[in-house]
Amino acid sequence: MNKKSLKLQEITGLSINQIATKLNCTTQNINLHIKEDSMVSTRIALKLEQATGVNHQFFLYPYPLCLQFAVKVK
């Protein structure tokens, strides 16, 4: 596990497997997008926001810059 995925799990209370199930994809695919140094496209970030409730900007920046967006959206 990397720091970004651990933070995501802490915020959401969801495991990576549960997030993958919500997005109808594999756990490996989610892990590719939630690496400490990864920056995903806006389209993928918005899908991740929809599935997790975490601000999409969290997924757009590498760790530790992503931490400033580590909040659930309403």
Side-chain angles (χ1 to χ4, degrees), residues 38-58:
S38 72
M39 297 176 288
V40 299
S41 69
T42 304
R43 181 179 61 86
I44 293 173
L46 289 170
K47 284 184 179 183
L48 287 164
E49 176 181 19
Q50 196 172 32
T52 63
V54 175
N55 189 315
H56 70 279
Q57 292 178 326
F58 175 83

Side-chain angles (χ1 to χ4, degrees), residues 53-72:
V54 175
N55 189 315
H56 70 279
Q57 292 178 326
F58 175 83
F59 304 103
L60 293 175
Y61 296 97
Y63 191 88
L65 292 175
C66 68
L67 294 179
Q68 63 187 327
F69 304 107
V71 294
K72 297 234 344 159

Side-chain angles (χ1 to χ4, degrees), residues 2-20:
N2 65 55
K3 293 175 186 176
K4 194 171 184 178
S5 348
L6 290 173
K7 187 63 174 179
L8 181 63
Q9 289 180 33
E10 177 187 322
I11 297 166
T12 63
L14 299 170
S15 69
I16 298 300
N17 193 29
Q18 290 170 315
I19 295 169

